[in-house]
């Protein structure tokens, strides 16, 4: 019983597209605040963005539990698509997920509900893939931290009301903490746990 328009679709060229997407995500993590383009994906069920779907096809597998927010879980289409293409288990408990995919930024659960990792295994934490309205327009943020030469400015309509407070607390937990990947359409920006954000005027 396949459906979701009888699946396949996904990457046109699985290997090359996955390699390209992986490089884009790694470049985004290495250079926080820079906007990277993601390889296009077709046949993606709404409301999942094509960039988020490309990251899923590249990074998810049977060993990466995935949590979906209520907007993405409102129908079974997104969960079915993820399971069909990646074999990743879609779970109900965000505290044990390797990845969380969030379509409703305003209702993003507190970071404490996700996995921060441990002192011995800081990599056993959640990466949140957060769909946002824009990565080129919106409030201005100054970013500092590893991978940034001094400071860089990001303009983005992220939509998380207490974003700066969350990220400040997150940074204080290093080496534990959440890594955040922002997606808008086919564009991506990474905010690793080491990145500090300050709101800019104007």
């Amino acid at each position: 019983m396949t459906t979701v328009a009888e699946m396949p679709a996904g990457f046109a060229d699985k290997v090359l597209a996955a390699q390209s997407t992986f490089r884009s995500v790694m470049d985004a993590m290495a250079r926080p605040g820079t906007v990277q383009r993601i390889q296009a994906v077709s046949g993606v069920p709404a409301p999942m963005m094509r960039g988020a779907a490309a990251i899923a096809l590249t990074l998810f597998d049977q060993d990466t539990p995935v949590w979906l927010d209520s907007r993405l879980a409102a129908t079974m289409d997104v969960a079915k698509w993820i399971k069909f293409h990646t074999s990743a288990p879609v779970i109900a408990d965000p505290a044990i997920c390797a990845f969380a995919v969030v379509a409703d930024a305003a209702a993003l659960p507190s970071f404490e509900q996700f996995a921060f990792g441990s002192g011995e295994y800081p990599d056993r934490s959640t990466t949140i893939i957060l769909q946002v309205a824009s990565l080129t327009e919106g409030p201005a943020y100054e970013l500092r931290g590893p991978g940034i030469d001094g400071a860089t400015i990001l303009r983005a309509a992220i939509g998380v009301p207490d974003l700066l407070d969350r990220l400040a607390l997150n940074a204080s937990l290093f080496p534990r903490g959440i890594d955040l990947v922002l997606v808008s359409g086919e564009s991506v920006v990474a905010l690793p746990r080491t990145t500090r954000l300050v709101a800019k005027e104007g």
Side-chain angles (χ1 to χ4, degrees):
M1 164 173 152
T2 310
T3 63
V4 185
E6 300 309 316
M7 289 282 168
F11 285 138
D13 185 319
K14 202 167 186 178
V15 174
L16 291 179
Q19 289 174 343
S20 172
T21 300
F22 185 78
R23 282 195 300 270
S24 295
V25 174
M26 291 302 101
D27 286 347
M29 294 296 287
R31 299 167 56 211
T34 63
V35 180
Q36 305 289 334
R37 294 289 292 176
I38 287 287
Q39 186 75 35
V41 181
S42 57
V44 179
M48 194 179 202
M49 290 183 177
R50 301 204 320 169
I55 294 172
L57 292 179
T58 303
L59 300 183
F60 296 4
D61 60 30
Q62 66 272 14
D63 297 319
T64 58
V66 175
W67 179 84
L68 304 175
D69 77 342
S70 58
R71 182 171 293 177
L72 290 168
T75 73
M76 290 299 295
D77 285 354
V78 174
K80 285 179 181 176
W81 188 90
I82 288 172
K83 289 177 183 176
F84 179 86
H85 285 285
T86 73
S87 301
V90 177
I91 62 173
D93 185 359
I96 57 172
C97 69
F99 293 96
V101 190
V102 176
D104 186 357
L108 174 65
S110 67
F111 283 177
E112 288 80 2
Q113 294 189 40
F114 299 103
F116 284 117
S118 65
E120 298 80 13
Y121 301 102
D123 56 316
R124 294 181 182 174
S125 60
T126 300
T127 296
I128 299 176
I129 300 166
L130 179 65
Q131 299 185 171
V132 303
S134 176
L135 291 173
T136 55
E137 299 177 355
Y141 301 93
E142 180 183 274
L143 281 63
R144 294 180 179 270
I148 301 170
D149 185 9
T152 190
I153 301 297
L154 170 68
R155 283 195 174 274
I158 299 174
V160 179
D162 57 345
L163 177 69
L164 298 181
D165 290 339
R166 291 184 189 225
L167 294 179
L169 174 60
N170 191 51
S172 73
L173 298 173
F174 187 80
R176 301 187 306 133
I178 302 295
D179 294 317
L180 199 59
V181 178
L182 310 179
V183 177
S184 180
E186 294 171 8
S187 298
V188 59
V189 167
L191 300 178
R193 66 193 72 179
T194 52
T195 304
R196 302 184 303 280
L197 267 70
V198 177
K200 297 291 286 183
E201 295 295 328

